[in-house]
Amino acid sequence: MSNPYLRVKTFVFLTLFLSSIAFYAQSNNAIYYGQNETRSFIVKKINKTIVPDGVLDEPIWETANSANNFWEYFPLDSIQARQQTDIKMLYDDKNLYIGITVYALGKDYAIQSLKRDYRAGNSDNISLLFDTFSDGTNAFLFGINPYGVRREGLISGGGQDSRNFTTTWDVKWKGDSKVYNSWYTSEMVIPLTSFKFKEGETKWKFNSYRFDSQSNETSTWINIPQNQRVFGLGFMGDMVFEKPLGKSRTPLALIPYVNGSALQDFEEGDNTNKLSVGGDAKVSIGNSMNLDITVNPDFSQVEVDDQVTNLTRFEISLPEKRQFFIDNNDLFGSFGDSRDANPFFSRRIGIAQDTADNTIENRIIGGVRLSGKLTKDFRLGFLNIQTAADEENEIPSNNNMMLALQQKVFARSNIGLFFINRQSFKDYDFVLPEDKYNRVLGLDYNLISQDNVWSGKFFFQKSFQPESNGKDLATGARLEYNSRNYKASGKLVYVGEDFRSDLGFVRRTDILKSFVQLERVFWPSNSFIQNHSFQFFPIFIWSPSMDFKNTDNEFRGQWEARLKDQSRFSAEFSNIYTFLIDDFDPTDTEGAIPLPGNQGYHYNSVKAEFNSDSRKIFSYSVEPSIGRFFNGDRFSFQGGMTFRFQPKVFLSMFMRYDKIKLPDPYPSADIWLISPKIEVTFSKSIFWSTLIQYSNQRDNFGINSRLQWRFAPLSDLFLVYNDNYFVDGFAPKTRSINLKITYWLNI
């Protein structure tokens, strides 16, 4: 069989298979586990204002309907919750008012800190999900804990996995809590302008989930099976408004900043003092569209990236933390395949490589970002950002543009179309002809069945750039099945050797990749084990340009057990084959002799992992592994620990050690990554955190210390100190201090 026919037949078969499954899944009505009909409650309209002090002493709460009778999600998912929750809602023309009563065994709550946007899974709290377009795809999240600490977030992609969940999004709202002997109450006042919804709407989809550390229970208003995510949007009830919602007029929000900074570069012997001014504006267009404008943005206050040890030949992606790129980010960043062919990765904008291939900041001059829903089923996203030239580091000024369209089909699926353009308009001597522009056009079909059992994707992308030889396509398909006892998934991805997306994340080109993952889950009764599973996960990669030579294989088998005390244990065996096309030094040792390319390597390894109960004051994880590594040996150990001095101090430590021993004349190495962090929340408005990171692979010892004072809603004063040293000799690299003030002004 000729290679072109092999590729074509494979993709035709997989596309037809995915389409048939998609139509089968869409044709079936949702079957909600443990219930036969959708639950609902009435949200009454009032003409009084409620002050959110956490005490439900206003008589008007007695008139409100309740969302109650919660179901247990963990440790069982077939009974009513042992510790119940009652949620009441009222509204007026401006606000949604929420009163919550949460029953508990006592007052011994687990609280990580007083900082906003806390992590929910290891502490006591309750979260509320609002699917304002009832599409089962996107939702707003608002949460609160017994101390009145708040969080908000966005859920996309139906809540299928953790990548669809972000708490980086911020919006103005109020809330507080009051603790009693065996319960606590919370009040929340959320402006309707915080949501996006259709004018005249009378019903939103709603669910709520709660973590209760004292009874070791997780509960939800709508009964959700444990094989599904607790924030999955396939399981929602109805909140029905007494009268239709009116037009939501979001005031114009201006968010200016002033930043004074001092930087000392010890390598270059330079001292730089700088005063920067800029800001953002947020404009609401109707009830459903956002226009974000930024001018000379500054991200000095954003949390520093966690350093990682990279023993592969490929780049590692890190999460986006900049607020400007967060809202509706799924509309831009969910195209293609997140691991192998993601055409838009917002971190590419504002970050570039200098002449020594070091990653440095590339100043953003300004930009606009329009996103939201034009109709109930049709979404639009448009982004245009201009970056500045840095001719000393041979970085051109680029215009970065993306247009994204998404149409809902069937119950929860959608079809998306996008166009990306990265272009430098000026002719620079240091820019090669093939790098003057890069454009990508693509199409996605995203499948989510109504009951969350089936999900998948088909995508097709083509890039356009000067001097391409035509091998500039990327396409693929993925299908997943998730039931209580069986899970299965499969993927096939092709990325041509000339495919490029300068604003995307493409780990490698010239691949045809496939994998199949099979998992059998067991639910023992009367056991300390909550569930355990066996997984089998083979991966194959071929190189089309090398006559479809098999360049990578991995056969992975795993057993995993989740215990009823919420700890977790797993054991894994891997058999790996890697064909090195080019020479490669996995230790990244300067001046070392790399492993020879054009050669294959077989190696095996075993790994175990244990994670203790994260609800405890002290928790930890350990993950040792040992085995062959290319033509040598490798021992690795990584672990972490956390300790809470509730509720104001949270200590954490991450450590990884890799011992790589290769035969002479190739390099061996001991690679360390140590990262302690201390977080102190003096109050709900003053936070201090210090992160220390030591990595001898990156030859860096870094200190990032950040003091934040939230002096008004979403308005902050930051004092940020950064210090970096070379590991050898502990010589200083750079040192900086920033004083930045931002203020959120509604007009």
Side-chain angles (χ1 to χ4, degrees), residues 116-118 140-143 150-154 165-173 710 714:
R116 192 165 175 156
D117 292 338
Y118 52 82
F140 300 91
L141 177 145
F142 294 87
R150 291 166 286 158
R151 72 174 188 147
E152 61 275 306
L154 297 174
F165 189 108
T166 177
T167 56
T168 306
W169 175 68
D170 283 332
V171 70
K172 278 187 177 182
W173 63 286
R710 177 147 286 184
L714 297 184

Side-chain angles (χ1 to χ4, degrees), residues 137 160 164 180 206 215 244 281 289-290 302 373 380 421 450 608 702:
T137 304
Q160 293 291 101
N164 301 136
Y180 301 90
F206 170 78
S215 62
M289 296 289 293
N290 291 329
V302 175
K373 289 206 173 189
L380 165 69
N421 182 54
Q450 198 169 5

Side-chain angles (χ1 to χ4, degrees), residues 39-182:
R39 303 180 69 186
S40 65
F41 65 98
I42 303 295
V43 185
K44 294 185 177 180
K45 189 169 185 179
I46 61 175
N47 54 12
K48 294 184 179 181
T49 300
I50 299 175
V51 177
D53 56 7
V55 182
L56 304 181
D57 56 356
E58 292 86 356
I60 201 167
W61 284 122
E62 299 297 327
T63 69
N65 287 175
S66 291
N68 50 26
N69 295 323
F70 271 52
W71 286 84
E72 190 171 86
Y73 172 82
F74 179 91
L76 300 175
D77 57 7
S78 57
I79 64 172
Q80 294 279 298
R82 290 165 289 158
Q83 300 299 322
Q84 278 294 328
T85 303
D86 183 270
I87 301 174
K88 295 183 176 182
M89 295 191 197
L90 302 164
Y91 77 108
D92 58 22
D93 290 332
K94 294 183 178 181
N95 299 307
L96 178 67
Y97 302 98
I98 304 170
I100 308 171
T101 303
V102 178
Y103 296 95
L105 292 175
K107 300 166 64 175
D108 186 20
Y109 298 111
I111 304 294
Q112 179 171 317
S113 73
L114 299 176
K115 188 176 181 181
R116 192 165 175 156
D117 292 338
Y118 52 82
R119 179 189 169 195
N122 61 353
S123 60
D124 284 272
N125 58 84
I126 185 168
S127 297
L128 288 75
L129 306 175
F130 301 91
D131 178 359
T132 58
F133 286 93
S134 301
D135 59 11
T137 304
N138 294 274
F140 300 91
L141 177 145
F142 294 87
I144 198 166
N145 72 11
Y147 285 32
V149 183
R150 291 166 286 158
R151 72 174 188 147
E152 61 275 306
L154 297 174
I155 296 175
S156 61
Q160 293 291 101
D161 58 50
S162 58
R163 291 173 299 182
N164 301 136
F165 189 108
T166 177
T167 56
T168 306
W169 175 68
D170 283 332
V171 70
K172 278 187 177 182
W173 63 286
K174 298 178 181 179
D176 208 346
S177 298
K178 173 71 173 179
V179 174
Y180 301 90
N181 286 332
S182 58

Side-chain angles (χ1 to χ4, degrees), residues 635-676:
F635 168 75
S636 296
F637 178 88
Q638 70 178 38
M641 61 185 70
T642 64
F643 193 88
R644 295 196 300 256
F645 294 93
Q646 295 191 152
K648 295 190 174 182
V649 180
F650 184 74
L651 306 176
S652 62
M653 163 79 83
F654 174 80
M655 186 272 285
R656 173 169 173 171
Y657 168 68
D658 293 274
K659 183 177 183 63
I660 299 175
K661 186 173 179 59
L662 303 179
D664 291 334
Y666 309 115
S668 298
D670 294 290
I671 301 174
W672 289 91
L673 174 60
I674 303 173
S675 180

